[in-house]
Amino acid sequence: LFQTLTDDGKMEPRRKNAMIDFLNLMEWTMPPSWNLRTGFVKELQWSLGSDAISSRGALERIIDSDVDKHRSMKQDLLWGYVDPNLRTSWAGGLLGPSDDKLAKDDKKWSNSCTHLEPAKGFTCGLWNLFHIITMGSSKPEHQIYGFHRGYFVSPHHVAETIRNFVEYFFSCSVCRTHYLEMYDNCGHDHCSRLKSELNMGTKDGSDKELVMWLWEVHNDVNARLMNEAAQRQNRNVTREETMASMFPTRKMCPDCWLNENMTKWDNATVFKFLDEWFWPADLPPSKQFKSVISGQPVEEEAVVDAADESLPSKNSRKPHSKVNM
């Protein structure tokens, strides 16, 4: 983020809008128990809206302040934390003992992301964030929350927001180019699969389409990287290598395949696995979250009001008084 600032400590308007839209997206899609929407994300929204982030130090102070806030409240559940004891039977135990608490080393990527190569941490962490966002966006209570907060909550707009974030903030130039080329050419048929309308109450499976689309995109990236690695060794990639690059692996989810030859996925089982893998066994939603989805006003911290007044964004709209479900 700080690398995108101009010499006067400000951000180019289109880049700034892409970041504000992404923060708005995080506000309504992230797990409620991480307390991001009324803390860290709100502080970033307000700071960006008022051009208060002018250096790396300013950004790190926001991060440190949020971590200190959790600790002062004696909360062990920092954002990004995953307790393996709360993981489901599908995901439990696969991360290994070194990653018991993913966010305890606050400013370093977990070993499950870096594989002991720190440079890989950002890309892995960003993909995980995208998966969490798409999973959160598929949940009706989050869609209602986002709707009442005045945001576009359709699968198309979520995908578009992620696409714009990648364009302006994905520091891996090769990764960025591949992703934008894929997306702008309707990769994996997203132009027809991802609707611009609300998904709430649908029974055609369209509420799961964005989650599955991003999963397909990510697996395609994994396969491409495996193939490129083989080409650098002047050989063809083996089928075993290609299958090993797929997520989830056969060992992680044997029921995710419809046949023994592993040629066709069971999408319903895959979605269930992704939900249990990326979404935490959440605590009850906060009073603020429940009030918003019920359409009742609730007093928030002053930073929330300040953020709302200073965030003109193409991904915001005036909230309607009722939702057709």
Side-chain angles (χ1 to χ4, degrees):
L1 175 60
F2 69 90
Q3 292 174 331
T4 67
L5 302 176
T6 59
D7 292 338
D8 60 357
K10 296 184 180 180
M11 192 179 293
E12 187 270 327
R14 287 178 298 180
R15 189 183 299 272
K16 180 178 178 179
N17 283 338
M19 175 57 76
I20 290 175
D21 286 340
F22 191 75
L23 291 173
N24 292 344
L25 176 61
M26 288 181 65
E27 181 190 341
W28 67 270
T29 58
M30 300 303 287
S33 62
W34 289 3
N35 295 321
L36 285 170
R37 59 175 51 88
T38 57
F40 181 64
V41 169
K42 278 301 179 186
E43 183 67 24
L44 283 177
Q45 288 173 317
W46 179 85
S47 298
L48 275 175
S50 59
D51 293 321
I53 299 179
S54 57
S55 66
R56 177 172 184 158
L59 180 60
E60 289 186 337
R61 282 192 292 274
I62 294 175
I63 296 173
D64 291 341
S65 175
D66 191 69
V67 172
D68 290 343
K69 177 181 177 182
H70 282 272
R71 286 176 172 158
S72 67
M73 298 169 62
K74 297 183 179 180
Q75 285 184 293
D76 204 29
L77 191 66
L78 301 178
W79 36 265
Y81 169 97
V82 178
D83 185 339
N85 294 322
L86 296 179
R87 282 184 175 272
T88 63
S89 57
W90 290 34
L94 290 173
L95 291 178
S98 62
D99 284 319
D100 280 352
K101 298 179 179 179
L102 297 181
K104 296 310 289 181
D105 192 358
D106 303 322
K107 294 185 179 179
K108 294 182 181 179
W109 298 105
S110 64
N111 290 336
S112 63
C113 249
T114 64
H115 301 288
L116 302 181
E117 296 183 43
K120 293 182 178 181
F122 173 78
T123 301
C124 168
L126 189 60
W127 273 109
N128 282 338
L129 176 60
F130 289 163
H131 285 296
I132 292 167
I133 284 174
T134 58
M135 186 58 69
S137 74
S138 74
K139 299 183 179 299
E141 65 273 22
H142 285 254
Q143 294 170 4
I144 295 172
Y145 178 93
F147 186 88
H148 282 299
R149 289 288 291 161
Y151 302 133
F152 289 116
V153 298
S154 72
H156 167 76
H157 282 97
V158 174
E160 195 77 9
T161 300
I162 292 175
R163 179 252 179 247
N164 292 338
F165 182 87
V166 168
E167 178 178 5
Y168 290 109
F169 298 100
F170 204 162
S171 57
C172 170
S173 60
V174 175
C175 310
R176 181 172 63 247
T177 299
H178 278 293
Y179 190 95
L180 295 179
E181 181 179 336
M182 175 280 301
Y183 187 90
D184 294 343
N185 287 282
C186 296
H188 294 268
D189 199 27
H190 76 80
C191 292
S192 60
R193 292 172 63 183
L194 306 182
K195 297 182 177 180
S196 296
E197 299 81 23
L198 297 179
N199 276 330
M200 289 180 287
T202 62
K203 297 181 180 180
D204 59 0
S206 59
D207 57 331
K208 301 178 176 62
E209 204 65 45
L210 176 60
V211 173
M212 301 304 293
W213 174 81
L214 187 72
W215 164 71
E216 292 172 16
V217 170
H218 197 175
N219 267 343
D220 192 51
V221 171
N222 291 340
R224 175 176 58 79
L225 293 175
M226 182 67 75
N227 186 59
E228 290 175 354
Q231 288 179 348
R232 288 193 292 270
Q233 299 172 2
N234 296 316
R235 63 179 181 82
N236 294 323
V237 66
T238 66
R239 184 177 185 277
E240 289 73 20
E241 289 172 327
T242 299
M243 299 312 299
S245 71
M246 297 291 99
F247 180 84
T249 63
R250 180 75 175 265
K251 180 179 179 181
M252 296 167 72
C253 183
D255 294 332
C256 284
W257 297 92
L258 288 174
N259 54 35
E260 289 295 323
N261 295 327
M262 298 173 63
T263 58
K264 188 174 179 58
W265 294 96
D266 183 336
N267 285 343
T269 305
V270 169
F271 181 88
K272 183 179 179 182
F273 174 89
L274 296 175
D275 190 17
E276 295 178 340
W277 181 265
F278 288 110
W279 199 255
D282 223 349
L283 299 176
S286 66
K287 178 181 178 182
Q288 187 260 356
F289 186 86
K290 290 188 290 186
S291 297
V292 171
I293 64 175
S294 66
Q296 299 175 355
V298 61
E299 289 188 13
E300 298 185 67
E301 299 174 0
V303 67
V304 175
D305 295 330
D308 289 345
E309 292 175 359
S310 61
L311 296 178
S313 168
K314 66 179 181 180
N315 241 20
S316 300
R317 56 166 174 76
K318 293 181 180 180
H320 297 283
S321 59
K322 83 173 185 179
V323 181
N324 294 320
M325 309 236 349

